[in-house]
Amino acid sequence: MNNKYSAEPFRIKMVEPIKETTRAEREMLLKNAGYNPFSLKSEDVYIDLLTDSGTGAMSQEQWSAMILGDEAYAGSKSFYKLDAVVKNITGYKYMMPVHQGRGAEQVFLPQLVTKPGMVYISNIHFDTTRAHVELAGARAIDSVIKECFIMDHYHPFKGNFDLEKLESIILEKGADHVAGIIMTLTNNSAGGQPVSMENIKAVRKIALKYNIKTIIDGARYAENAYFIKQREKGYENKAIIDIAREMCSYADAFLMSAKKDGLVNMGGLIVINDDEALFNKCKERAIPYEGFPTYGGMNGRDIEAMAVGLMEALDERYLKYRIDQVRYLGDRLREAGIPIQYPIGGHAVFVDCKQVAPHIPPHQFPALAVCNALYLEAGIRAVEIGSLLMGRDPDTHENVPTEMEYMRLTIPRRVYTYRHMDVIADAMIHVYEHRNELKGYEFVYEPPMLRHFTATFKIKD
Ligand code: F0G
């Protein structure tokens, strides 16, 4: 390792032992889990790359802030601390905490669905976002640039909207049938790929032209701001927080799962720019689902940790280490010839399993096959982002066709070391060398919605 990858800007003060299992044990554990990594117990996982959501390590400042948690039902001191931090970052007028990102989605997204036949348009909707769009009675349409799907093709902002497609969807559906445009920053499902400021601005311009609201899905907005600083002309000398503020200035609302760039294990946010009536509607809906708007499903302790974590995640030294570590893993895989989404994204390395296992058709889930092989090889748990996750069309019940058959190696924040990255890379290289032996899967149980979480499978002969 050299200076190309920055070392951890912290030292470790508390450790959690992790168990190792034998291959024979893992074979049994995986079979008992119905070949679905979501059903494994985490103690049976050596390195857990299922998600970067709520899996990060908190700092000493966050832990000590928790002592100050004010557990009042209404108007706690902790709430007002968070309120000040969030308004400082976003520049918006109204905010409320919620228990996590999907809490924000379920309170906010139905507000803009005012009649039948409406759609939300996103660069790519995250799976829970898509589910909440559908639960609200609308449909989710994605409009990402086509370079996003050319794995080895360098594009600095592969998460960008396809602006022409965006406008043509608006014209086809009719502007009054577009509930909103959701800018997912970074674009999780496309490989944690960033969206440029230029693209965000252009989306805003189109939205204003048709009088449509823009919403930032800001789960990984700090990582997006870091990429803008690295790659976009004119931003190289700007502070991350100023880039974040500018991003927010092009939207009407900011929904956040704080479990990512809030550096907390639980929490979320609804932040609204200046539409008081919309905020009031969100407050009304939040009460029966999330709780009184000054706690929103959170306790004072966790709100304190979030107020601190949001600022820590904007620290450039932290972000450099974070993005470098993910890139280190990706570079090792790429050097071994493994097809990955390139350039490497913010929170994860995405392996293109369509290329790893071309002999497994989409409906037998090639990326699930690779995930399970990696678990068997080294006890590493990754996650499928492909045909399985995309699910079925709510109208036709056909499998949604998708270009993506990814295995996501998602790196928790401040948790694993560079040596862990080597263990992951070595195991993945071994799986890749034996890729011809991979087999597909078929359903034993297929749930009707968000099927990837609880489905069970058997190996296809
Ligand atoms: N939006 C994006 C872009 C996300 O990645 C997630 C969660 C959510 C919204 C929902 O937030 O989990 O707090 O309810 N992503 C996690 C993941 C689960 O593994 O990518 P949540």
Side-chain angles (χ1 to χ4, degrees), residues 1-54:
M1 196 165 39
N2 54 34
N3 291 336
K4 214 171 133 189
Y5 307 101
S6 54
E8 291 79 359
F10 51 79
R11 51 188 176 191
I12 297 165
K13 202 179 277 200
M14 192 190 288
V15 294
E16 177 186 352
I18 44 181
K19 197 171 92 180
E20 282 191 77
T21 49
T22 63
R23 188 175 180 108
E25 284 168 337
R26 290 194 290 277
E27 267 166 16
M28 195 193 62
L29 291 162
L30 194 59
K31 187 160 181 258
N32 291 344
Y35 296 102
N36 184 343
F38 276 101
S39 297
L40 290 167
K41 286 185 183 166
S42 80
E43 66 169 357
D44 296 327
V45 173
Y46 176 49
I47 301 178
D48 204 345
L49 307 182
L50 189 66
T51 181
D52 63 326
S53 180

Side-chain angles (χ1 to χ4, degrees), residues 96 233 284 320 435:
M96 71 173 95
K233 214 165 165 280
E284 281 164 33
K320 178 168 178 4
R435 59 192 180 278

Side-chain angles (χ1 to χ4, degrees), residues 217-263:
D217 177 341
R220 300 178 183 84
Y221 81 105
E223 291 170 5
N224 200 87
Y226 180 79
F227 280 119
I228 289 177
K229 178 160 177 147
Q230 294 296 303
R231 296 181 186 169
E232 193 161 351
K233 214 165 165 280
Y235 291 90
E236 34 305 75
N237 297 317
K238 293 221 160 122
I240 300 290
I241 193 166
D242 290 332
I243 299 174
R245 278 188 196 123
E246 186 181 340
M247 281 160 33
C248 290
S249 74
Y250 303 122
D252 299 293
F254 179 92
L255 308 183
M256 185 180 189
S257 166
K259 298 170 72 171
K260 288 85 165 167
D261 281 352
L263 288 174

Side-chain angles (χ1 to χ4, degrees), residues 50-53 99-103 105 124-129 184-189 217-220 255-260 266-268 347 383 385 408 410 453:
L50 189 66
T51 181
D52 63 326
S53 180
H99 83 283
Q100 64 181 96
R102 66 201 72 183
E105 290 164 355
I124 303 185
H125 292 82
F126 177 66
D127 61 0
T128 60
T129 321
T184 312
L185 314 176
T186 58
N187 196 350
N188 181 1
S189 312
D217 177 341
R220 300 178 183 84
L255 308 183
M256 185 180 189
S257 166
K259 298 170 72 171
K260 288 85 165 167
M266 192 49 77
H347 68 301
V383 69
I385 306 250
R408 187 182 72 173
T410 337
F453 289 116

